[in-house]
Amino acid sequence: MAVHVLDAMAREGFEQVIALHDRDSGLRAFVGVHDTSAGPAFGGIRRFPYRDERSALIDCLRLSRAMSRKCALAGIRGGGGKIVVLDHAELQREPAYAHLGRAIERLGGRYYAGPDVGTGPDELRWVATETAYVTRPGEGGPGHLEAATAAGVFAGMAAALRADEGEEAWERRTVVVQGLGNVGQVLVERLLARGARVVGSEIDPVREEAAREKWDIELVRPGTEVDVECDVFCPCAMGGILHDLTIQRLRTRIVCGSANNPLAHRRHGQRLHELGILYVPDFVVSAGALIRGAEFHQTGRATALDEIERRVSSVVGDVLALAAAEQRAPSIVAIEEADRRIRERRRAARTPDAASPPTPSPAPGGPPVTS
Ligand code: NAD
């Protein structure tokens, strides 16, 4: 089925979608800019072997829009964007990322890029050869973004346990972590340090073996983690993993993880609610890297992990309290609140004299921020 790009853009309020092709490197990519009414569109670069162009475009649109919601709820002066790269065996990564850097530069500050699945320090460095509108890895950058994400997810889990059972009591908890990548690994460390029992799953045999050597945790076959009885199911791999077939197998009270868009469809948030499973919306809980990356870009300060924990915990607490008071699914309550804030930002941008956010100052030596 074809995707009607302009219809989808109009329906979801997108500002811009760009298709990129580079003959020399084999790059094929989409850039989504959802909202710049309060500041630049922040979003990572995802490189993934998409089945086809359609799934890549849909992923780009969904992820960009989720980033706008993430910004709105986390109080970031910016909106959502995303780049998705269709990975393939012939892709020449270094020139492909440099090409992306030139495309980002041409956007003149409307889009600010960061890491995502398939894009780590090397790739960011290649982008940074062509543009300043990118998160710098290592020295001169905002530091360990995965730790910031994991800090938020951990704080979100704690808030959900308090809301659901009145206490965290980690030493009595079992947490299933799906995906032992950058974020999953930091979370495992934090959970073990608190005395929780951790069950993990990982499709990459090298990472699975590394986990086996490093920690005394139970590892289960990918695809069977949803059957494990636990207090918290923590998706830290790819999106779309909670759907009609997997949800009915879950044996958990809480779902809280970093994976972007883990619900295959909006109705699955409602389904979890009906089953009495507390779902902490992904775009609320995984905001740690965005908070750190965006604020570093805008102020030159790397937000401390405990501040990230406090902020994420507070938003999660508010969303869960509102959902409980209204007896509605947290996923729906959070989307409505985020979309209300985005509409307000857009209204404020159209009427500059109204309470529009001040123009943020760039990081020392960094590029100007356009809004
Ligand atoms: P990553 O690629 O380092 O880790 C993901 C891991 O999941 C990989 O090791 C992969 O092999 C594994 N995996 C993939 N499919 C799996 C499956 N079906 N079962 C088990 N394991 C599977 O990515 P990451 O940076 O750790 O991010 C994890 C998720 O969190 C992604 O969805 C990402 O978009 C999201 N996220 C990450 C950040 C961040 O700061 N890195 C911020 C916000 C959201």
Side-chain angles (χ1 to χ4, degrees):
M1 199 172 51
V3 184
H4 295 280
V5 184
L6 292 171
D7 287 350
M9 287 176 71
R11 205 171 40 244
E12 305 291 352
F14 272 82
E15 292 177 11
Q16 196 171 12
V17 175
I18 303 168
L20 292 174
H21 172 249
D22 176 35
R23 268 186 306 274
D24 298 332
S25 64
L27 174 77
R28 300 170 78 213
F30 290 110
V31 184
V33 176
H34 181 257
D35 182 55
T36 59
S37 56
F42 290 103
I45 304 174
R46 177 167 295 196
R47 178 167 52 85
F48 187 74
Y50 288 98
R51 181 173 66 237
D52 52 29
E53 180 178 329
R54 177 177 184 273
S55 15
L57 177 57
I58 289 175
D59 211 25
C60 178
L61 297 178
R62 291 188 70 193
L63 290 165
S64 317
R65 189 188 52 187
M67 286 300 286
S68 287
R69 289 178 173 152
K70 210 184 264 198
C71 285
L73 288 186
I76 297 296
R77 291 173 298 174
K82 203 80 182 180
I83 294 182
V84 303
V85 175
L86 289 87
D87 203 7
H88 57 90
E90 287 79 40
L91 181 72
Q92 292 178 41
R93 285 189 300 136
E94 187 167 347
Y97 274 91
H99 188 93
L100 283 180
R102 288 190 288 280
I104 292 167
E105 182 64 21
R106 280 196 298 277
L107 285 167
R110 278 169 52 73
Y111 178 90
Y112 187 81
D116 198 285
V117 173
T119 300
D122 285 346
E123 289 81 1
L124 292 175
R125 230 171 265 119
W126 297 330
V127 174
T129 58
E130 302 293 333
T131 183
Y133 301 111
V134 62
T135 303
R136 279 167 199 280
E139 295 285 312
H144 197 179
L145 292 181
E146 294 82 15
T149 303
V153 174
F154 187 77
M157 272 187 208
L161 283 166
R162 289 195 301 272
D164 194 50
E165 305 201 16
E167 57 177 351
E168 295 167 29
W170 290 107
E171 60 292 346
R172 287 196 279 109
R173 306 296 177 197
T174 297
V175 180
V176 172
V177 181
Q178 180 194 43
L180 302 174
N182 295 318
V183 178
Q185 289 175 26
V186 185
L187 271 170
V188 170
E189 302 273 2
R190 292 190 76 133
L191 291 163
L192 291 176
R194 292 302 187 96
R197 172 177 169 246
V198 177
V199 178
S201 73
E202 171 55 58
I203 48 165
D204 177 341
V206 176
R207 281 188 165 171
E208 187 191 22
E209 193 45 41
R212 204 184 302 283
E213 281 175 14
K214 199 157 29 158
W215 305 303
D216 182 21
I217 65 171
E218 192 183 332
L219 289 162
V220 296
R221 201 156 37 82
T224 65
E225 64 286 90
V226 285
D227 302 316
V228 177
E229 186 165 358
C230 59
D231 298 284
V232 184
F233 179 78
C234 177
C236 291
M238 298 301 285
I241 55 121
L242 294 172
H243 47 73
D244 293 341
L245 299 179
T246 48
I247 283 180
Q248 61 190 21
R249 286 164 55 195
L250 284 173
R251 295 168 70 202
T252 184
R253 297 204 33 82
I254 294 170
V255 174
C256 175
S258 72
N260 286 315
N261 296 331
L263 302 175
H265 188 274
R266 192 171 163 154
R267 75 182 142 82
H268 294 114
Q270 177 62 27
R271 183 70 190 128
L272 287 168
H273 177 62
E274 287 161 7
L275 289 170
I277 297 173
L278 189 60
Y279 172 69
V280 185
D282 55 301
F283 60 87
V284 177
V285 83
S286 69
L290 169 68
I291 293 173
R292 185 172 264 195
E295 293 187 348
F296 184 82
H297 174 52
Q298 294 178 326
T299 68
R301 187 179 72 94
T303 317
L305 293 184
D306 55 359
E307 186 185 331
I308 289 171
E309 286 190 34
R310 267 197 309 279
R311 284 168 63 173
V312 172
S313 175
S314 156
V315 182
V316 170
D318 289 350
V319 166
L320 296 186
L322 184 60
E326 296 181 353
Q327 296 191 5
R328 295 199 304 145
S331 56
I332 294 174
V333 167
I335 286 174
E336 285 178 3
E337 176 57 18
D339 289 353
R340 187 187 67 73
R341 291 188 192 189
I342 294 168
R343 281 195 301 277
E344 239 170 44
R345 289 170 160 207
R346 287 181 166 169
R347 228 184 338 265
R350 278 197 302 273
T351 50
D353 291 341
S356 60
T359 305
S361 47
V369 178
T370 58
S371 57

